[in-house]
Amino acid sequence: MPQPTAIGPGDAPLTAPFPHPLSAPAGTGSTLNPPHNLDAEVVVLGSCLFVGDTVDRVRLVLEPGDFYRPAHTTIWHALLELRRLEAPTDPIAVCHQLRRTGDLARVGGSPYVHSLASHAAAGSGAEYYADIVRKDADLRAMQAMAVRLLQGASAEGADPDEVRALMNHSVQEVSDRSRRSSGGRLERYAVDGWSFVTDTATDATPIWGEPGKAAWASGESLMLVGPPGVGKSTIAQQIVLSRLGLLSMVLDMPVQPGEKVLYIAADRPSQLARAFSRIVRPADEAILRRKLVFWSGPLPASLNAEPQLLAELAAQHGADTVVIDSLKDVVGKLTDDEAGLAYNNARQQLLRDGVELLELHHQRKQGQDAPRNQRPVLDQVYGSAWFTAGAGSVLFLSGAAGDPIVQLHHLKTVNGEIGPFPIVHDHPRGTSRVDTSLDPLTLLRQAATGGLTARQLAEQVTGDRNPRPADVAKARRRLEALAKSGHATQESGTGGGAGGGQATRWRATVRHISVVS
């Protein structure tokens, strides 16, 4: 085999008996000169012919269609097939493979294939030249997109909406290429099994809440759901101010501070501004100017049409937290599963970039006969099931518009469940607090020496004389936690048949007050 020789800027590229691709689609009148570098293509293929392992490295950078010369694409396919078969990739093997597929004469015959090997790049230079080929292919893709848009917009009777849809689709294709581009597109998120199991954080780090009981965990979105007027934005604004370091607790749960918040105020921005003015002080001006950005009004495109837009917005404004208020204003058709899947793609791209996400959303309309105190379920969240399926945590606020007291339910948990508990909104001040009158420890202390069973606690918390088994089990876990922390004592019950036996009972521990003289 001949020794490789480097190709310099002034060297003439190898030639073969076939034409170059058209510069632009016929009929456009365009004289675009598609970007390409045949010298770089020759070096890439020559390196792969000279050392077979080079194929494995180059295929992380290039796709088959990235070669400008069609013969080079054909030869690249032959190289990939030989690597799949664990066969040699030298010129003899490649010529044999091309002969089997009937492509040898079309690429210039054996002399052309053999001559490629003499233009290999020494060492790891093949990836450098592959990146040149890739970037030229990206530019050609953008030129082709521009030509398609020009044709669409110039056609007789062109519909602006159709051209706009074509533009969004084309931009999505180009963005997808960018995510698949150099830097190891097939290894970007790949780790070995041991590292995944041992290095990936299995304990949810709470953004809002405590370890083992997180309302919102890092790396997972929080969806705050409820009908209009129950205070979703009120709670969201308190969380935002906590992320800015202006508050520390929301609903008696700590919030970890962040760096910068992007608040997408797509729904009623004027009303949201008035709501924020209730709680913001003049002393907060410097922090709000530096660490809080509002996007006021509709996005440039719906997130189901351009899933990459959400991550791009966060990167543009340097935000580590994004709030969407609300989903109905950023997704084209909430009931469409394809839109739900596309939005979840946008969500996961953002989270993968290390940006936290809080989403405000609405519930399905309830029928007139629906019980007012009925416990909400995930099916009551409006739209495709993919919205809740991709969320890390779902909190549901139930009540009527303007109610000073609403109920909070944790429909999808990260680890431990939050609530349910009543929330009291102080609308003039823009603050919220938990109504502790239904706190398990408070109820246990009110029961005095008689104590409570798990069923009795569930009856008081839910207001239902016949609580569900799940509510009783939840009440039991809370009482057991109080006993474990020393706030209660447990008196185990006795078994028995129907009407017999005694239920396990918990009593609040006696609080002693020491007098220091």
Side-chain angles (χ1 to χ4, degrees):
M1 182 180 294
Q3 292 298 311
T5 59
I7 291 184
D11 294 335
L14 298 175
T15 58
F18 45 76
H20 289 330
L22 293 174
S23 295
T28 64
S30 174
T31 58
L32 293 175
N33 180 28
H36 62 280
N37 190 319
L38 295 181
D39 289 347
E41 294 186 11
V42 165
V43 172
V44 169
L45 294 176
S47 301
C48 294
L49 287 163
F50 194 75
V51 179
D53 291 347
T54 306
V55 177
D56 300 330
R57 301 197 306 270
V58 170
R59 70 189 297 266
L60 299 178
V61 180
L62 292 180
E63 296 178 348
D66 289 344
F67 291 95
Y68 179 71
R69 178 169 279 177
H72 292 169
T73 300
T74 303
I75 294 171
W76 178 244
H77 277 294
L79 287 164
L80 292 176
E81 178 62 15
L82 289 172
R83 287 301 289 173
R84 187 186 71 82
L85 297 173
E86 298 182 355
T89 62
D90 58 83
I92 296 174
V94 171
C95 286
H96 177 69
Q97 174 65 20
L98 292 170
R99 191 177 291 110
R100 288 180 60 248
T101 58
D103 295 318
L104 183 58
R106 197 160 56 82
V107 302
S110 296
Y112 185 70
V113 175
H114 279 269
S115 63
L116 285 172
S118 65
H119 292 79
S124 60
E127 293 99 309
Y128 174 81
Y129 292 105
D131 193 53
I132 294 175
V133 174
R134 178 72 183 190
K135 288 177 179 177
D136 282 339
D138 287 340
L139 291 174
R140 292 199 302 274
M142 293 177 188
Q143 284 189 354
M145 177 188 72
V147 170
R148 289 197 303 268
L149 290 175
L150 180 61
Q151 287 178 323
S154 303
E156 185 176 354
D159 184 344
D161 289 336
E162 292 181 358
V163 176
R164 192 175 295 110
L166 174 62
M167 178 179 66
N168 291 336
H169 179 72
S170 300
V171 169
Q172 180 64 50
E173 287 183 344
V174 171
S175 298
D176 288 343
R177 270 191 62 86
S178 176
R179 284 193 298 275
R180 300 194 306 266
S181 63
S182 58
R185 63 188 180 90
L186 299 182
E187 292 187 349
R188 186 177 182 185
Y189 299 137
V191 295
D192 66 87
W194 180 254
S195 298
F196 178 82
V197 172
T198 57
D199 296 344
T200 303
T202 54
D203 294 332
T205 303
I207 297 174
W208 181 28
E210 299 174 346
K213 206 170 185 180
W216 183 13
S218 180
E220 304 182 44
S221 69
L222 167 62
M223 182 177 288
L224 192 56
V225 184
V230 294
K232 297 188 297 296
S233 296
T234 298
I235 292 177
Q237 72 184 28
Q238 292 171 77
I239 296 174
V240 167
L241 294 179
S242 296
R243 290 290 282 170
L244 302 181
L246 297 175
L247 298 175
S248 60
M249 306 279 285
V250 178
L251 302 182
D252 296 335
M253 294 183 288
V255 180
Q256 299 303 313
E259 295 298 326
K260 191 172 186 179
V261 177
L262 169 62
Y263 198 116
I264 300 177
D267 184 15
R268 302 164 296 127
S270 298
Q271 182 174 335
L272 186 64
R274 289 195 299 272
F276 264 91
S277 66
R278 298 174 301 179
I279 195 172
V280 168
R281 304 163 301 171
D284 302 332
E285 179 181 354
I287 291 179
L288 266 63
R289 287 190 181 278
R290 187 177 73 255
K291 301 181 66 174
L292 179 60
V293 176
F294 278 93
W295 180 280
S296 181
L299 295 179
S302 62
L303 294 180
N304 54 298
E306 295 186 26
Q308 80 286 350
L309 179 60
L310 191 59
E312 290 176 354
L313 278 171
Q316 174 69 25
H317 298 285
D320 70 341
T321 305
V322 172
V323 181
I324 298 178
D325 189 356
S326 63
L327 287 186
K328 68 178 177 61
D329 303 290
V330 299
V331 180
K333 190 175 182 182
L334 292 171
T335 56
D336 182 39
D337 280 344
E338 287 191 10
L341 285 168
Y343 172 75
N344 190 49
N345 185 14
R347 168 198 279 156
Q348 300 307 325
Q349 286 183 42
L350 182 76
L351 296 174
R352 185 72 201 195
D353 288 347
V355 182
E356 312 296 352
L357 178 61
L358 169 58
E359 308 154 321
L360 276 60
H361 194 28
H362 294 81
Q363 70 170 55
R364 298 181 187 275
K365 289 185 178 179
Q366 295 289 93
Q368 295 181 349
D369 298 332
R372 172 146 187 177
N373 294 326
Q374 180 181 8
R375 178 183 173 84
V377 294
L378 279 177
D379 285 346
Q380 288 178 242
V381 179
Y382 186 80
S384 168
W386 294 111
F387 290 108
T388 54
S393 178
V394 179
L395 292 176
F396 195 104
L397 292 176
S398 59
D403 279 355
I405 301 179
V406 297
Q407 292 289 324
L408 182 143
H409 299 268
H410 204 176
L411 304 190
K412 187 177 182 183
T413 64
V414 177
N415 36 41
E417 183 177 6
I418 307 298
F421 47 65
I423 296 175
V424 181
H425 290 307
D426 186 340
H427 291 295
R429 290 187 174 87
T431 59
S432 308
R433 64 177 176 84
V434 177
D435 184 355
T436 59
S437 62
L438 295 181
D439 175 69
L441 182 55
T442 301
L443 295 174
L444 200 60
R445 286 171 174 165
Q446 290 174 351
T449 58
L452 292 173
T453 66
R455 181 182 178 86
Q456 289 171 337
L457 177 60
E459 290 177 358
Q460 294 192 42
V461 169
T462 63
D464 189 347
R465 295 299 301 273
N466 188 26
R468 302 178 311 148
D471 293 324
V472 176
K474 188 187 307 177
R476 182 177 293 106
R477 290 195 299 270
R478 290 179 172 178
L479 291 168
E480 289 172 345
L482 289 175
K484 186 176 181 180
S485 64
H487 291 89
T489 58
Q490 178 177 326
E491 181 181 308
S492 298
T494 58
Q502 297 291 327
T504 299
R505 185 171 293 274
W506 288 262
R507 294 180 175 84
T509 54
V510 178
R511 292 174 292 178
H512 297 283
I513 301 177
S514 298
V515 178
V516 180
S517 58

